[in-house]
Amino acid sequence: MEPLRQGLLDRIRRRASNPDTRNELPPSARGKTVETRWVSVAPVNLGGTPRDNDSVSDTLASPADDATVRDAETKLGFQLPEPVRQLYTQIANGGFGPYSGLLPIQEVVTTYLSLREDPPGPRDQEWPEKLLPLTSDDSGHCCINRNSGALVFWDIEELASGGSDKVWKKSFKAEAPDLSAWLEDWLGRPSPEEKTKDLIQQGMNSAIKQSLDYWRSKTPEERAKYGLPETGWEEKLFGHLGIDLKKL
């Protein structure tokens, strides 16, 4: 399995250093108030689980030391794939990356061993020995195939379709050809805060456009009754927002 390139590790480290971009938890799960140029949205209590609360710290965990890695490998019974080892020893012991971020290495161990010891399939289908979970949330685990290096997502929701071997097999979905591609995709996506800001902006723009359309449908005389000038009335109404009204 090819190690991760140093340039990629540097980019991951930069993104992981910022609490707002280090994983894909929404700002509300971090107690974060999202602010645009002219509106702010306070966080909503989502009733987060302890798993969520562990992930919201502003402080990035320290990298895992050699002793921690050796202990993990001893308990697992195999060595970590080299690119996985790089992430834990050169970036941080979990908390960064796609979904809610990589699990701390100790949780990778306990999650894998639990899945192996207590078959999670509806009909006690065994957890594939080659799949090592790297993330965990209510929808499932993203895992690395220790043989091929491919990323596979185990989708728990698929199991609602039944307990057959066919359904069990279908619950494992190809996510990325390798860890490098998986992380490049994550680095190329906007952060949850950026997505939230964009949604807020779109919603406000839509509301302003509806108001503009209303006033545009009126004659200058009708607008004048409300103290609006014949020219520049758009700026008088919404100029303080600092947006290009000509685009609405």
Side-chain angles (χ1 to χ4, degrees):
M1 204 176 296
E2 291 292 323
L4 299 175
R5 302 182 308 279
Q6 188 58 51
L8 175 58
L9 288 168
D10 291 340
R11 290 162 57 210
I12 295 168
R13 188 177 294 107
R14 284 195 295 271
R15 181 153 184 165
S17 67
N18 184 344
D20 295 334
T21 63
R22 74 169 51 122
N23 54 47
E24 295 182 307
L25 285 172
S28 55
R30 301 193 305 271
K32 173 80 173 181
T33 296
V34 179
E35 297 183 356
T36 65
R37 183 166 44 193
W38 31 272
V39 69
S40 65
V41 177
V44 177
N45 185 348
L46 299 180
T49 64
R51 167 80 245 147
D52 296 327
N53 294 333
D54 287 343
S55 305
V56 299
S57 172
D58 285 348
T59 304
L60 184 65
S62 299
D65 57 27
D66 289 340
T68 299
V69 173
R70 286 196 302 270
D71 180 66
E73 291 177 334
T74 297
K75 292 175 179 176
L76 289 169
F78 53 80
Q79 289 188 332
L80 292 174
E82 179 57 25
V84 173
R85 175 189 281 264
Q86 287 178 284
L87 292 175
Y88 281 104
T89 61
Q90 297 187 41
I91 307 295
N93 189 4
F96 66 93
Y99 301 102
S100 57
L102 298 182
L103 291 167
I105 195 167
Q106 297 89 340
E107 291 190 36
V108 169
V109 173
T110 57
T111 301
Y112 177 80
L113 294 179
S114 176
L115 289 168
R116 288 291 295 160
E117 293 167 3
D118 185 13
R123 295 183 180 175
D124 290 334
Q125 289 97 332
E126 292 186 353
W127 181 260
E129 183 180 6
K130 62 187 177 182
L131 293 186
L132 181 66
L134 297 180
T135 72
S136 180
D137 58 33
D138 291 340
S139 61
H141 304 296
C142 193
C143 315
I144 187 168
N145 184 318
R146 298 190 293 112
N147 295 339
S148 67
L151 275 293
V152 176
F153 186 78
W154 180 50
D155 187 352
I156 295 175
E157 295 178 0
E158 282 288 351
L159 302 183
S161 302
S164 68
D165 288 343
K166 181 179 180 180
V167 170
W168 173 244
K169 183 177 180 180
K170 187 180 177 183
S171 69
F172 295 92
K173 302 178 178 181
E175 175 102 349
D178 54 38
L179 200 57
S180 178
W182 189 60
L183 293 165
E184 284 283 6
D185 181 66
W186 169 62
L187 288 169
R189 294 196 297 267
S191 71
E193 183 170 4
E194 290 168 336
K195 292 178 183 178
T196 301
K197 285 183 178 181
D198 185 58
L199 287 173
I200 294 171
Q201 191 78 52
Q202 289 179 34
M204 295 301 293
N205 285 351
S206 176
I208 293 169
K209 185 179 185 308
Q210 288 182 28
S211 183
L212 281 171
D213 289 345
Y214 170 79
W215 288 106
R216 284 167 179 162
S217 69
K218 294 187 176 298
T219 64
E221 293 75 19
E222 289 173 324
R223 289 194 292 267
K225 292 179 182 179
Y226 294 90
L228 296 176
E230 184 171 350
T231 59
W233 62 267
E234 296 99 331
E235 290 297 322
K236 184 174 178 63
L237 281 174
F238 300 112
H240 63 286
L241 297 178
I243 60 177
D244 188 353
L245 298 174
K246 294 178 182 179
K247 295 182 179 180
L248 299 180

